[in-house]
CSV table of all heavy atoms in Angstrom, one decimal:
chain,number,residue,atom,x,y,z
M,664,LEU,N,-7.9,-12.9,7.9
M,664,LEU,CA,-7.6,-11.6,7.4
M,664,LEU,C,-8.8,-10.7,7.3
M,664,LEU,O,-8.7,-9.4,7.2
M,664,LEU,CB,-6.9,-11.7,6.0
M,664,LEU,CG,-5.5,-12.4,6.0
M,664,LEU,CD1,-5.0,-12.3,4.6
M,664,LEU,CD2,-4.6,-11.7,7.0
M,665,ALA,N,-10.0,-11.3,7.4
M,665,ALA,CA,-11.2,-10.5,7.4
M,665,ALA,C,-11.3,-9.6,8.6
M,665,ALA,O,-11.9,-8.5,8.6
M,665,ALA,CB,-12.4,-11.4,7.3
M,666,PHE,N,-10.8,-10.0,9.8
M,666,PHE,CA,-10.9,-9.3,11.0
M,666,PHE,C,-10.1,-8.0,10.9
M,666,PHE,O,-10.6,-6.9,11.2
M,666,PHE,CB,-10.5,-10.1,12.2
M,666,PHE,CG,-11.5,-11.1,12.6
M,666,PHE,CD1,-11.6,-12.3,12.1
M,666,PHE,CD2,-12.5,-10.7,13.6
M,666,PHE,CE1,-12.6,-13.2,12.5
M,666,PHE,CE2,-13.5,-11.6,14.0
M,666,PHE,CZ,-13.5,-12.8,13.4
M,667,PRO,N,-8.8,-8.0,10.6
M,667,PRO,CA,-8.0,-6.7,10.5
M,667,PRO,C,-8.6,-5.9,9.3
M,667,PRO,O,-8.5,-4.6,9.4
M,667,PRO,CB,-6.6,-7.1,10.3
M,667,PRO,CG,-6.6,-8.5,9.8
M,667,PRO,CD,-7.8,-9.1,10.5
M,668,LEU,N,-9.1,-6.5,8.3
M,668,LEU,CA,-9.6,-5.8,7.1
M,668,LEU,C,-10.9,-5.0,7.6
M,668,LEU,O,-11.1,-3.9,7.2
M,668,LEU,CB,-9.9,-6.7,6.0
M,668,LEU,CG,-10.3,-6.1,4.6
M,668,LEU,CD1,-9.1,-5.3,4.1
M,668,LEU,CD2,-10.6,-7.2,3.6
M,669,ALA,N,-11.7,-5.7,8.3
M,669,ALA,CA,-13.0,-5.1,8.8
M,669,ALA,C,-12.6,-3.9,9.8
M,669,ALA,O,-13.3,-2.9,9.8
M,669,ALA,CB,-13.8,-6.1,9.5
M,670,TYR,N,-11.6,-4.1,10.6
M,670,TYR,CA,-11.2,-3.1,11.6
M,670,TYR,C,-10.7,-1.9,10.8
M,670,TYR,O,-11.0,-0.7,11.2
M,670,TYR,CB,-10.1,-3.6,12.5
M,670,TYR,CG,-9.8,-2.7,13.6
M,670,TYR,CD1,-10.5,-2.7,14.8
M,670,TYR,CD2,-8.7,-1.8,13.5
M,670,TYR,CE1,-10.2,-1.8,15.8
M,670,TYR,CE2,-8.4,-0.9,14.5
M,670,TYR,CZ,-9.1,-0.9,15.7
M,670,TYR,OH,-8.8,0.0,16.7
M,671,GLY,N,-9.9,-2.1,9.8
M,671,GLY,CA,-9.3,-1.0,9.0
M,671,GLY,C,-10.4,-0.2,8.3
M,671,GLY,O,-10.4,1.0,8.2
M,672,GLY,N,-11.4,-1.0,7.7
M,672,GLY,CA,-12.5,-0.4,7.0
M,672,GLY,C,-13.4,0.4,7.9
M,672,GLY,O,-13.8,1.5,7.6
M,673,ARG,N,-13.6,-0.1,9.1
M,673,ARG,CA,-14.4,0.6,10.1
M,673,ARG,C,-13.7,2.0,10.5
M,673,ARG,O,-14.4,3.0,10.7
M,673,ARG,CB,-14.6,-0.2,11.4
M,673,ARG,CG,-15.5,0.4,12.4
M,673,ARG,CD,-15.3,-0.2,13.8
M,673,ARG,NE,-13.9,0.1,14.2
M,673,ARG,CZ,-13.6,1.2,14.9
M,673,ARG,NH1,-14.4,2.1,15.1
M,673,ARG,NH2,-12.3,1.3,15.3
M,674,ASP,N,-12.4,1.9,10.6
M,674,ASP,CA,-11.6,3.1,11.0
M,674,ASP,C,-11.8,4.2,9.9
M,674,ASP,O,-12.0,5.4,10.2
M,674,ASP,CB,-10.2,2.8,11.2
M,674,ASP,CG,-9.3,4.0,11.5
M,674,ASP,OD1,-9.6,4.6,12.6
M,674,ASP,OD2,-8.4,4.3,10.8
M,675,LEU,N,-11.8,3.7,8.6
M,675,LEU,CA,-11.9,4.7,7.5
M,675,LEU,C,-13.3,5.3,7.5
M,675,LEU,O,-13.5,6.5,7.3
M,675,LEU,CB,-11.7,4.0,6.2
M,675,LEU,CG,-10.2,3.8,5.7
M,675,LEU,CD1,-10.2,3.0,4.5
M,675,LEU,CD2,-9.5,5.1,5.5
M,676,LEU,N,-14.3,4.5,7.7
M,676,LEU,CA,-15.7,4.9,7.7
M,676,LEU,C,-16.0,5.9,8.9
M,676,LEU,O,-16.7,6.9,8.7
M,676,LEU,CB,-16.7,3.8,7.7
M,676,LEU,CG,-16.7,2.9,6.4
M,676,LEU,CD1,-17.6,1.7,6.6
M,676,LEU,CD2,-17.1,3.7,5.2
M,677,SER,N,-15.5,5.5,10.0
M,677,SER,CA,-15.8,6.3,11.2
M,677,SER,C,-15.1,7.7,11.2
M,677,SER,O,-15.6,8.7,11.8
M,677,SER,CB,-15.4,5.6,12.5
M,677,SER,OG,-14.0,5.3,12.5
M,678,SER,N,-13.9,7.7,10.6
M,678,SER,CA,-13.2,9.0,10.5
M,678,SER,C,-13.8,10.0,9.5
M,678,SER,O,-13.6,11.2,9.6
M,678,SER,CB,-11.7,8.7,10.1
M,678,SER,OG,-11.6,8.2,8.8
M,679,GLY,N,-14.6,9.4,8.6
M,679,GLY,CA,-15.2,10.3,7.6
M,679,GLY,C,-14.3,10.8,6.5
M,679,GLY,O,-14.7,11.7,5.7
M,680,LYS,N,-13.0,10.4,6.5
M,680,LYS,CA,-12.1,10.9,5.5
M,680,LYS,C,-11.0,9.8,5.3
M,680,LYS,O,-10.8,8.9,6.1
M,680,LYS,CB,-11.4,12.2,6.0
M,680,LYS,CG,-10.6,12.1,7.3
M,680,LYS,CD,-10.0,13.4,7.7
M,680,LYS,CE,-9.3,13.3,9.0
M,680,LYS,NZ,-8.7,14.6,9.4
M,681,VAL,N,-10.4,9.9,4.1
M,681,VAL,CA,-9.4,8.9,3.8
M,681,VAL,C,-8.1,9.1,4.6
M,681,VAL,O,-7.5,10.2,4.6
M,681,VAL,CB,-9.0,9.0,2.3
M,681,VAL,CG1,-7.9,8.0,1.9
M,681,VAL,CG2,-10.3,8.7,1.4
M,682,ASN,N,-7.7,8.1,5.3
M,682,ASN,CA,-6.5,8.1,6.1
M,682,ASN,C,-5.5,7.3,5.4
M,682,ASN,O,-5.6,6.1,5.2
M,682,ASN,CB,-6.8,7.6,7.5
M,682,ASN,CG,-5.6,7.6,8.5
M,682,ASN,OD1,-4.6,7.1,8.2
M,682,ASN,ND2,-5.8,8.3,9.6
M,683,PHE,N,-4.3,8.0,5.1
M,683,PHE,CA,-3.3,7.3,4.3
M,683,PHE,C,-2.8,6.0,5.0
M,683,PHE,O,-2.6,5.0,4.4
M,683,PHE,CB,-2.1,8.3,4.1
M,683,PHE,CG,-0.9,7.6,3.5
M,683,PHE,CD1,-0.9,7.4,2.1
M,683,PHE,CD2,0.2,7.3,4.2
M,683,PHE,CE1,0.2,6.8,1.5
M,683,PHE,CE2,1.3,6.7,3.6
M,683,PHE,CZ,1.3,6.5,2.2
M,684,PHE,N,-2.6,6.1,6.3
M,684,PHE,CA,-2.1,4.9,7.1
M,684,PHE,C,-3.1,3.8,7.1
M,684,PHE,O,-2.7,2.6,7.0
M,684,PHE,CB,-1.7,5.4,8.5
M,684,PHE,CG,-0.5,6.3,8.5
M,684,PHE,CD1,-0.7,7.7,8.6
M,684,PHE,CD2,0.8,5.9,8.3
M,684,PHE,CE1,0.4,8.6,8.6
M,684,PHE,CE2,1.9,6.7,8.3
M,684,PHE,CZ,1.7,8.1,8.5
M,685,SER,N,-4.4,4.1,7.3
M,685,SER,CA,-5.4,3.1,7.3
M,685,SER,C,-5.5,2.4,5.9
M,685,SER,O,-5.6,1.2,5.8
M,685,SER,CB,-6.8,3.7,7.6
M,685,SER,OG,-6.8,4.2,9.0
M,686,VAL,N,-5.4,3.2,4.8
M,686,VAL,CA,-5.5,2.7,3.5
M,686,VAL,C,-4.3,1.8,3.2
M,686,VAL,O,-4.4,0.7,2.7
M,686,VAL,CB,-5.5,3.8,2.4
M,686,VAL,CG1,-5.3,3.2,1.0
M,686,VAL,CG2,-6.8,4.6,2.5
M,687,LEU,N,-3.1,2.2,3.7
M,687,LEU,CA,-1.9,1.4,3.5
M,687,LEU,C,-2.0,0.1,4.3
M,687,LEU,O,-1.6,-1.0,3.8
M,687,LEU,CB,-0.7,2.2,4.0
M,687,LEU,CG,0.7,1.7,3.5
M,687,LEU,CD1,0.7,1.7,2.0
M,687,LEU,CD2,1.8,2.5,4.1
M,688,GLY,N,-2.6,0.1,5.5
M,688,GLY,CA,-2.8,-1.1,6.3
M,688,GLY,C,-3.7,-2.1,5.5
M,688,GLY,O,-3.5,-3.3,5.5
M,689,ILE,N,-4.8,-1.6,4.9
M,689,ILE,CA,-5.7,-2.4,4.2
M,689,ILE,C,-5.1,-3.0,3.0
M,689,ILE,O,-5.2,-4.2,2.7
M,689,ILE,CB,-7.0,-1.6,3.8
M,689,ILE,CG1,-7.8,-1.2,5.0
M,689,ILE,CG2,-7.8,-2.4,2.8
M,689,ILE,CD1,-9.0,-0.3,4.7
M,690,VAL,N,-4.3,-2.2,2.3
M,690,VAL,CA,-3.5,-2.7,1.1
M,690,VAL,C,-2.6,-3.8,1.5
M,690,VAL,O,-2.4,-4.9,0.9
M,690,VAL,CB,-2.8,-1.6,0.4
M,690,VAL,CG1,-1.8,-2.1,-0.6
M,690,VAL,CG2,-3.7,-0.6,-0.2
M,691,SER,N,-1.9,-3.6,2.7
M,691,SER,CA,-1.0,-4.7,3.2
M,691,SER,C,-1.7,-6.0,3.5
M,691,SER,O,-1.2,-7.0,3.1
M,691,SER,CB,-0.3,-4.1,4.5
M,691,SER,OG,0.5,-5.1,5.0
M,692,ILE,N,-2.9,-5.9,4.1
M,692,ILE,CA,-3.7,-7.1,4.4
M,692,ILE,C,-4.1,-7.8,3.1
M,692,ILE,O,-4.0,-9.0,3.0
M,692,ILE,CB,-4.9,-6.7,5.2
M,692,ILE,CG1,-4.5,-6.2,6.6
M,692,ILE,CG2,-5.8,-7.9,5.4
M,692,ILE,CD1,-5.6,-5.5,7.3
M,693,LEU,N,-4.5,-7.0,2.1
M,693,LEU,CA,-5.0,-7.6,0.8
M,693,LEU,C,-3.8,-8.3,0.1
M,693,LEU,O,-4.0,-9.3,-0.5
M,693,LEU,CB,-5.6,-6.5,0.0
M,693,LEU,CG,-6.9,-6.0,0.4
M,693,LEU,CD1,-7.4,-4.8,-0.4
M,693,LEU,CD2,-8.0,-7.1,0.5
M,694,LEU,N,-2.6,-7.7,0.2
M,694,LEU,CA,-1.4,-8.3,-0.4
M,694,LEU,C,-1.1,-9.6,0.2
M,694,LEU,O,-0.7,-10.6,-0.4
M,694,LEU,CB,-0.3,-7.3,-0.4
M,694,LEU,CG,-0.3,-6.1,-1.4
M,694,LEU,CD1,0.8,-5.1,-1.1
M,694,LEU,CD2,-0.3,-6.6,-2.8
M,695,THR,N,-1.1,-9.6,1.6
M,695,THR,CA,-0.8,-10.8,2.3
M,695,THR,C,-1.8,-11.9,1.9
M,695,THR,O,-1.4,-13.1,1.6
M,695,THR,CB,-0.9,-10.6,3.8
M,695,THR,OG1,0.1,-9.6,4.2
M,695,THR,CG2,-0.6,-11.9,4.6
M,696,GLY,N,-3.1,-11.6,1.9
M,696,GLY,CA,-4.1,-12.5,1.5
M,696,GLY,C,-3.9,-13.0,0.1
M,696,GLY,O,-4.0,-14.2,-0.2
M,697,GLY,N,-3.6,-12.1,-0.9
M,697,GLY,CA,-3.5,-12.5,-2.3
M,697,GLY,C,-2.3,-13.4,-2.5
M,697,GLY,O,-2.4,-14.4,-3.2
M,698,ILE,N,-1.1,-13.0,-1.9
M,698,ILE,CA,0.1,-13.8,-2.0
M,698,ILE,C,-0.2,-15.2,-1.4
M,698,ILE,O,0.3,-16.2,-2.0
M,698,ILE,CB,1.3,-13.2,-1.3
M,698,ILE,CG1,1.6,-11.9,-2.0
M,698,ILE,CG2,2.5,-14.1,-1.2
M,698,ILE,CD1,2.6,-11.0,-1.3
M,699,SER,N,-0.8,-15.3,-0.3
M,699,SER,CA,-1.1,-16.6,0.4
M,699,SER,C,-2.1,-17.4,-0.4
M,699,SER,O,-1.9,-18.7,-0.6
M,699,SER,CB,-1.6,-16.4,1.8
M,699,SER,OG,-0.7,-15.6,2.6
M,700,LEU,N,-3.2,-16.8,-0.9
M,700,LEU,CA,-4.2,-17.6,-1.6
M,700,LEU,C,-3.7,-18.0,-3.0
M,700,LEU,O,-4.2,-19.1,-3.5
M,700,LEU,CB,-5.5,-16.7,-1.7
M,700,LEU,CG,-6.2,-16.4,-0.4
M,700,LEU,CD1,-7.3,-15.5,-0.6
M,700,LEU,CD2,-6.7,-17.7,0.3
M,701,LEU,N,-2.8,-17.3,-3.6
M,701,LEU,CA,-2.3,-17.7,-4.9
M,701,LEU,C,-1.1,-18.6,-4.7
M,701,LEU,O,-0.6,-19.1,-5.8
M,701,LEU,CB,-1.8,-16.4,-5.6
M,701,LEU,CG,-3.0,-15.5,-6.1
M,701,LEU,CD1,-2.4,-14.2,-6.7
M,701,LEU,CD2,-3.8,-16.2,-7.1
M,702,HIS,N,-0.8,-19.0,-3.5
M,702,HIS,CA,0.3,-19.9,-3.2
M,702,HIS,C,1.6,-19.5,-3.8
M,702,HIS,O,2.4,-20.3,-4.3
M,702,HIS,CB,0.0,-21.3,-3.7
M,702,HIS,CG,-1.3,-21.9,-3.1
M,702,HIS,ND1,-1.8,-23.1,-3.5
M,702,HIS,CD2,-2.0,-21.4,-2.1
M,702,HIS,CE1,-2.9,-23.3,-2.7
M,702,HIS,NE2,-3.0,-22.3,-1.9
M,703,LEU,N,1.9,-18.2,-3.8
M,703,LEU,CA,3.1,-17.6,-4.3
M,703,LEU,C,4.2,-17.9,-3.2
M,703,LEU,O,3.9,-18.2,-2.1
M,703,LEU,CB,3.0,-16.1,-4.6
M,703,LEU,CG,2.0,-15.7,-5.6
M,703,LEU,CD1,2.0,-14.2,-5.8
M,703,LEU,CD2,2.3,-16.4,-6.9
M,704,ASP,N,5.5,-17.8,-3.7
M,704,ASP,CA,6.6,-18.0,-2.8
M,704,ASP,C,6.5,-17.1,-1.6
M,704,ASP,O,6.2,-15.9,-1.7
M,704,ASP,CB,7.9,-17.8,-3.5
M,704,ASP,CG,9.1,-18.4,-2.8
M,704,ASP,OD1,9.4,-17.9,-1.6
M,704,ASP,OD2,9.7,-19.3,-3.3
M,705,ALA,N,6.8,-17.6,-0.4
M,705,ALA,CA,6.8,-16.8,0.8
M,705,ALA,C,7.7,-15.6,0.8
M,705,ALA,O,7.5,-14.7,1.6
M,705,ALA,CB,7.1,-17.7,2.0
M,706,LYS,N,8.7,-15.6,-0.1
M,706,LYS,CA,9.6,-14.5,-0.1
M,706,LYS,C,8.9,-13.2,-0.5
M,706,LYS,O,9.4,-12.1,-0.1
M,706,LYS,CB,10.8,-14.8,-1.1
M,706,LYS,CG,10.3,-14.8,-2.6
M,706,LYS,CD,11.5,-15.1,-3.5
M,706,LYS,CE,11.1,-15.0,-5.0
M,706,LYS,NZ,12.2,-15.4,-5.9
């Protein structure tokens, strides 16, 4: 998950402004990682 997270972060930094879709993508990645690492139900 570090790879898509780094890609999304680079997109935010290179654009010079907050992109709603990029932020949402990063949040989605973090949620996937958090749910997986906490061993929560796959649902």
